[in-house]
Amino acid sequence: MKQIDLRSDTVTLPTAEMREAMYKAEVGDDVYGEDPTVLNLEKLAAEITGKQASLFVPSGTMGNQLAAMSHTVHGEEIICEQESHVYYYEVGGLAVLSGLQTRTIVGDRGRLSPAIIEAGIRGKDIHQPQSSLIWLENTHNRAGGTFYRPDQLSAIRNTADDYSLKIHMDGARVFNAAVAQRISVKELVQHVDSVMFCLSKGLCAPVGSILAGSKEFIEKARRNRKMLGGGMRQAGILAAAGLVSLNKMVDRLAEDHDNAKRLAEGIADLGLEIDMETVQTNIVIFKVDKSKKSADKITSDLREAGILASQFGSEKIRMVTHYGITFNDINATLAALKKVIA
Ligand SMILES: *Cc1c(COP(=O)(O)O)cnc(C)c1O
């Protein structure tokens, strides 16, 4: 039986074109700055994001942690949304690696507004820690793949400037955010100081993420990457796949969004609770009636039917569409879900 794997877009496999590009990649020692394929990828990523420079890193988590580390000094405070990946899923790295205190605030479906950010910024009183970095997640994973619009980001930029704060965007899925709004990534990240995005999710590369920002910031991050053990040698083998991601795999993300919409509508039709306003990209999170059947039991019953989904707490389930999921898979998933909850 074919499995339909909706746990995450991280399960995407490299395409045939990627494997061929990896096989043929020209490589060198990237710690010496001599891997031409890594240099090409970093140059292209800087162009696409409209930033001065970029850095190829082994994972999104490392990219985010390097951003925090390179923007701040120990003891400062970072403002982030309470359900954000950096707060939830990065093993407390902000505290361990960068000595940061985290101020979590509640967003609207994952999105922060200038007013709630401003309420979280510390005053001048010597008892208080110094606020230094605003952290935005675009698209927001735990909120169900919601995105920021450029005008919202521009307003947040004004607030940041009023208080001399930096802004980092955790843009693991920023290409989904851009494609869904039919705008360029450049337009979407113009108001932030730095952005991290993943090549290894919907863009299908086997490994790797990018951190982009000013030349000075990326120089710092490069040094910090070496400290964390992320300086890789003939990394062009991996960067070659990343180049295919950026050149070939971006536009098709729209298909994943269409499939997510269809899935979400079908789930609503089954009478399950779902906030359709959050279904903006490739993530679908819905609530089950746990008095009838728990999320745990539903996910394990789905697994037996060959459908893999992620349990999100005791009453929610997450499904993520991606390159490996077809329209027929969505229909099969809905048919199986109907049986499982009956
Ligand atoms: C996946 C993800 C990351 C981290 O990426 P890894 O490559 O898995 O370390 C960071 N932020 C968000 C929002 C993510 O979804």
Side-chain angles (χ1 to χ4, degrees):
M1 185 173 56
K2 183 200 168 207
Q3 276 197 334
I4 298 175
D5 194 346
L6 294 157
R7 287 171 304 167
S8 177
D9 45 10
T10 55
V11 303
T12 47
L13 302 176
T15 64
E17 191 175 352
M18 284 178 187
R19 288 183 184 270
E20 195 175 325
M22 293 169 81
Y23 179 71
K24 291 183 177 158
E26 250 189 84
V27 295
D29 189 328
D30 184 55
V31 175
Y32 291 163
E34 292 172 2
D35 188 304
T37 309
V38 172
L39 294 175
N40 280 343
L41 174 64
E42 290 178 344
K43 184 163 171 274
L44 179 61
E47 277 164 23
I48 288 174
T49 54
K51 302 297 178 200
Q52 287 174 348
S54 93
L55 185 69
F56 183 50
V57 292
S59 69
T61 300
M62 190 185 283
N64 276 343
Q65 293 300 324
L66 288 175
M69 190 179 273
S70 308
H71 276 312
T72 65
V73 298
H74 279 217
E76 289 183 338
E77 194 166 74
I78 166 175
I79 297 172
C80 66
E81 208 277 329
Q82 68 160 7
E83 297 276 319
S84 57
H85 189 282
V86 74
Y87 180 66
Y88 236 89
Y89 294 124
E90 299 189 17
V91 210
L94 292 177
V96 178
L97 300 170
S98 300
L100 294 170
Q101 178 159 291
T102 313
R103 178 118 167 161
T104 52
I105 54 182
V106 186
D108 167 30
R109 298 181 172 90
R111 284 163 308 224
L112 303 181
S113 65
I116 57 169
I117 290 171
E118 199 160 12
I121 297 172
R122 301 289 194 159
K124 292 262 181 277
D125 186 313
I126 62 160
H127 294 84
Q128 301 200 2
Q130 179 86 46
S131 302
S132 74
L133 182 62
I134 298 170
W135 193 278
L136 307 175
E137 190 169 315
N138 194 19
T139 68
H140 194 293
N141 178 6
R142 289 184 61 86
T146 51
F147 57 68
Y148 284 92
R149 297 188 314 264
D151 62 298
Q152 294 169 319
L153 295 166
S154 156
I156 293 171
R157 176 80 262 170
N158 290 338
T159 304
D161 288 345
D162 288 346
Y163 294 89
S164 304
L165 305 185
K166 297 266 168 49
I167 307 175
H168 173 70
M169 182 182 286
D170 174 352
R173 298 187 179 84
V174 77
F175 284 87
N176 294 88
V179 167
Q181 297 178 76
R182 296 189 172 84
I183 58 175
S184 66
V185 163
K186 193 169 170 172
E187 188 179 347
L188 201 48
V189 305
Q190 63 184 314
H191 301 295
V192 301
D193 297 284
S194 58
V195 59
M196 182 284 291
F197 66 79
C198 292
L199 296 160
S200 59
K201 290 185 170 163
L203 299 180
C204 296
V207 177
S209 293
I210 292 284
L211 178 64
S214 72
K215 199 161 168 283
E216 194 190 344
F217 167 79
I218 291 298
E219 268 167 26
K220 244 188 194 170
R222 189 179 292 280
R223 202 176 163 80
N224 286 329
R225 183 187 67 173
K226 190 76 189 82
M227 181 169 68
L228 297 186
M232 300 181 286
R233 303 298 177 175
Q234 285 74 38
I237 295 277
L238 300 172
L243 281 163
V244 177
S245 290
L246 295 180
N247 287 322
K248 299 284 175 72
M249 304 304 287
V250 172
D251 293 341
R252 64 150 306 282
L253 292 173
E255 264 174 59
D256 300 341
H257 302 165
D258 290 346
N259 282 337
K261 276 257 151 55
R262 160 84 186 118
L263 178 63
E265 283 161 6
I267 287 168
D269 288 345
L270 293 176
L272 295 169
E273 194 180 323
I274 179 165
D275 179 359
M276 291 301 282
E277 272 188 57
T278 66
V279 187
Q280 298 189 315
T281 54
N282 69 328
I283 300 178
V284 177
I285 296 176
F286 60 96
K287 208 165 163 182
V288 301
D289 182 352
K290 67 174 174 183
S291 66
K292 288 190 186 140
K293 210 183 219 185
S294 69
D296 188 35
K297 182 80 174 95
I298 292 176
T299 12
S300 66
D301 287 353
L302 282 173
R303 180 178 279 268
E304 274 179 27
I307 290 152
L308 309 186
S310 297
Q311 192 189 327
F312 252 44
S314 63
E315 51 185 2
K316 283 184 181 170
I317 292 175
R318 186 188 76 168
M319 293 180 171
V320 184
T321 57
H322 52 78
Y323 188 53
I325 299 295
T326 64
F327 187 72
N328 283 341
D329 293 336
I330 298 298
N331 291 332
T333 299
L334 288 168
L337 185 60
K338 187 174 179 182
K339 272 194 202 150
V340 163
I341 61 166

